[in-house]
Amino acid sequence: MQTLTSKIVQARLRELADPVLAEGAQRYFKTGKGEYGEGDRFLGLRAAQIHATVKEHRELSIPEVVKLLQSPFNEDRLTAVLIWVTQMPKAPDSVQKVIYELYLANTHRINSWGLVDCSAPGVVGYYLLDKNRKPVHRLAQSEILWERRIAVLATFTWIRKKDCADTLKICEVLLKDREDLIHKATGWMLREVGKRDLASLEGFLDAHARIMPRTMLRYAIERMSPERRGYYLKLKGS
């Protein structure tokens, strides 16, 4: 039996590549000079194709996943982190720890909102579910945009368990963040908090709506009644 390697996974992804889709992805993920995804490269695959590839190669060894994560192509890195997300629930804690630590050691390769959003909850959030969460609070203080987004997205796993305290603390830390991608992420997570614990969301908004970035506020109140949305927009002065 042939040993599964990162090169085998890459060959499969390249069989599915579509240059037309790649060109569209380059624009969608803002890869131009000075944009947040500057320099990223794409093969051109649909999400269903990537998920099928992950399922087919979910037994890829951790060292080979790390190799895949070093690729300049976004879909290779996406496949790598999704393989880790797939492996985490069935792995013993010792292996989960290795995946978690390697993930955080390679945040410079997890450098787009697509990569962060699909993996931070399933790797960082999953691992820290029953552990000390100080590492995520440290990430929220990072100078690196993607590490701050990892911090807030990791909490999605806890929100789903109706454990929202860390989300609210991290969103408070990020209130003055300058990046729109952080405003969207924090607003999204606040909206998810509101689905499980509306009182906590309203308490946060009562305290901070006046100073929240407009995008963050609009995302947070999206599921509220028109009356409540109007109330908080009026507080903000929107």
Side-chain angles (χ1 to χ4, degrees):
M1 181 181 293
Q2 187 179 24
T3 302
L4 184 58
T5 67
S6 59
K7 289 184 177 180
I8 290 173
V9 179
Q10 288 177 307
R12 177 58 179 153
L13 291 171
R14 281 146 186 77
E15 288 175 5
L16 302 168
D18 181 336
V20 175
L21 291 177
E23 185 177 347
Q26 297 281 153
R27 294 191 299 270
Y28 183 70
F29 285 95
K30 308 294 185 184
T31 62
K33 186 172 179 59
E35 296 181 310
Y36 64 75
E38 181 178 353
D40 208 356
R41 299 168 65 186
F42 288 81
L43 296 168
L45 285 93
R46 300 185 186 280
Q49 294 172 313
I50 294 173
H51 284 284
T53 304
V54 169
K55 185 176 181 180
E56 183 181 353
H57 301 92
R58 60 182 178 270
E59 301 302 327
L60 188 67
S61 70
I62 291 175
E64 291 298 314
V65 174
V66 174
K67 289 180 184 178
L68 192 59
L69 195 54
Q70 307 314 306
S71 170
F73 288 96
N74 186 283
E75 292 94 340
D76 286 341
R77 304 197 307 279
L78 178 57
T79 300
V81 294
L82 284 174
I83 287 173
W84 274 344
V85 169
T86 301
Q87 291 176 345
M88 283 291 283
K90 295 183 179 180
D93 194 69
S94 58
V95 175
Q96 290 181 9
K97 184 174 186 290
V98 170
I99 292 173
Y100 161 78
E101 290 178 346
L102 284 169
Y103 184 97
L104 292 187
N106 284 277
T107 53
H108 61 293
R109 308 303 302 156
I110 307 166
N111 55 352
S112 81
W113 61 263
L115 297 177
V116 170
D117 295 3
C118 74
S119 63
V123 176
V124 179
Y126 187 89
Y127 182 69
L128 295 178
L129 185 61
D130 59 352
K131 299 177 179 66
N132 188 302
R133 297 172 183 177
K134 287 183 179 179
V136 166
H137 291 272
R138 285 196 293 269
L139 284 176
Q141 304 275 2
S142 172
E143 295 182 0
I144 300 170
L145 162 64
W146 306 117
E147 291 189 346
R148 300 197 303 277
R149 188 156 175 130
I150 286 170
V152 69
L153 261 294
T155 73
F156 201 176
T157 299
W158 314 332
I159 294 170
R160 290 179 174 131
K161 302 286 187 180
K162 299 184 179 181
D163 179 358
C164 304
D166 291 280
T167 305
L168 297 174
K169 290 177 183 176
I170 288 171
C171 287
E172 186 172 4
V173 167
L174 296 173
L175 277 170
K176 296 182 180 180
D177 201 283
R178 295 181 179 180
E179 296 288 347
D180 188 60
L181 284 172
I182 299 300
H183 303 167
K184 291 176 179 177
T186 50
W188 172 20
M189 290 301 101
L190 287 170
R191 184 175 72 231
E192 294 298 327
V193 168
K195 291 179 184 178
R196 284 87 175 171
D197 185 351
L198 183 58
S200 289
L201 172 59
E202 290 186 333
F204 186 93
L205 296 175
D206 290 341
H208 303 297
R210 292 173 179 81
I211 64 168
M212 288 171 69
R214 197 167 269 101
T215 298
M216 181 180 178
L217 177 61
R218 288 186 177 274
Y219 271 57
I221 64 178
E222 190 175 48
R223 295 290 293 268
M224 288 183 165
S225 69
E227 293 76 17
R228 293 304 284 170
R229 289 201 304 273
Y231 170 75
Y232 286 114
L233 288 172
K234 186 175 181 180
L235 279 184
K236 174 63 182 172
S238 299

